[in-house]
Amino acid sequence: MIHPILIHPDPRLKKVCEPVAEITPELRALAADMLETMYDAPGIGLAAPQVGVTKRLIVMDCIKDGPPEPLILFNPRIIWASEDVSTFEEGCLSIPDQYAEVKRPAEVQVRWLDETGTEQERQFSGLWATCVQHEIDHLDGKLFIDYLGPLKRQMITRKMEKLKRERARAV
Ligand code: K1U
Ligand code: ZN
C-alpha cells in the first residue's frame, strides 16, 4: 500500500522517534509499504515519520541502474563516522522540488536490526552514506534544511506552506 508522504512543516517531522521494541508483523508490513511508497515517489530513502509513524524505521535503495537493493533498517545507529566529509545536493520527499548542498561525513558505519530481528552492520560510502545520514536525521526530527542558514530555511518553509495551502484547496 502506498502511503501519503507528509510535507514540511508538520509537527510529526520534528519529533524524536521511539525505538522499536519488537519487530511485529505489523511493522514488517509497514516497512514493505514504505519501500513501495519510496519506489513510487520515486526516492532513494524514506523514514517512518514521513508517513506519520514516529518509530525508528527507515528504508533505502540507492541503486539507480541495475537490480534493486532494498534495505530495511530498524533502530539504525551510526557507530562510526569518517573525518572526511563530502558535499551532496540533497532533496527530500517531504520538501518537494527543493535542493541544497549539505556537508556530511563521507563514510559511516551503521548498526541496525533487519526485518528478521537480526543485527546487521555495514559501512556506507558515496550516495548510500549521504542517504542513511539523511534518513537517520529524520528519526531525530531533523531535516536537511536545518543545515542551511536561517534565510534559506525560511524561504523554503514559506514555499512549502504555500504548496500545502494550494494542495488543500485542490481537494
Ligand atoms: O528522505 C527522503 O526524503 C528521501 C530522499 C533521500 C535523499 C535524497 C538525496 C540525498 C539524500 C537523501 C529522496 O529520495 S529525494 C528524491 C531523490 O533523491 C531521487 C529521486 C529519484 C531518483 C534518484 C533520486
Ligand atoms: Zn527526507
Side-chain angles (χ1 to χ4, degrees):
M1 186 178 100
I2 292 167
H3 292 250
I5 296 174
L6 298 181
I7 303 297
H8 164 73
D10 186 295
R12 289 164 288 182
L13 293 172
K14 298 308 297 172
K15 288 222 168 104
V16 176
C17 296
E18 288 287 321
V20 170
E22 191 195 347
I23 299 164
T24 59
E26 290 75 20
L27 282 171
R28 271 194 284 272
L30 172 66
D33 282 357
M34 283 172 57
L35 278 170
E36 196 182 342
T37 304
M38 178 193 81
Y39 286 124
D40 176 72
I44 55 172
L46 192 68
Q50 293 181 280
V51 294
V53 179
T54 52
K55 291 203 156 70
R56 300 189 80 84
L57 164 62
I58 65 175
V59 299
M60 299 196 296
D61 186 349
C62 295
I63 301 291
K64 284 176 181 161
D65 303 308
E69 212 182 287
L71 277 186
I72 295 171
L73 298 84
F74 289 96
N75 300 335
R77 275 191 307 130
I78 295 171
I79 57 168
W80 172 84
S82 66
E83 281 180 19
D84 274 12
V85 292
S86 70
T87 304
F88 197 87
E89 185 161 76
E90 297 194 15
C92 181
L93 297 174
S94 294
I95 311 176
D97 302 322
Q98 303 299 316
Y99 303 91
E101 289 195 337
V102 178
K103 222 181 253 181
R104 299 182 187 270
E107 291 186 71
V108 286
Q109 184 91 15
V110 180
R111 195 175 284 161
W112 73 91
L113 296 177
D114 70 14
E115 60 276 23
T116 71
T118 307
E119 192 168 83
Q120 302 283 348
E121 197 175 306
R122 176 165 152 185
Q123 191 158 324
F124 292 99
S125 59
L127 182 57
W128 285 94
T130 297
C131 188
V132 75
Q133 292 174 81
H134 176 116
E135 300 310 331
I136 292 174
D137 271 356
H138 272 299
L139 304 183
D140 292 320
K142 195 163 182 180
L143 301 172
F144 81 89
I145 56 169
D146 295 325
Y147 293 96
L148 309 180
L151 281 182
K152 194 141 194 225
R153 187 165 62 241
Q154 200 175 66
M155 192 187 76
I156 292 176
T157 298
R158 290 206 174 125
K159 279 189 188 163
M160 291 302 106
E161 285 166 340
K162 184 162 176 265
L163 175 73
K164 285 174 79 168
R165 279 197 303 275
E166 285 164 359
R167 285 191 181 179
R169 244 185 277 125
V171 290

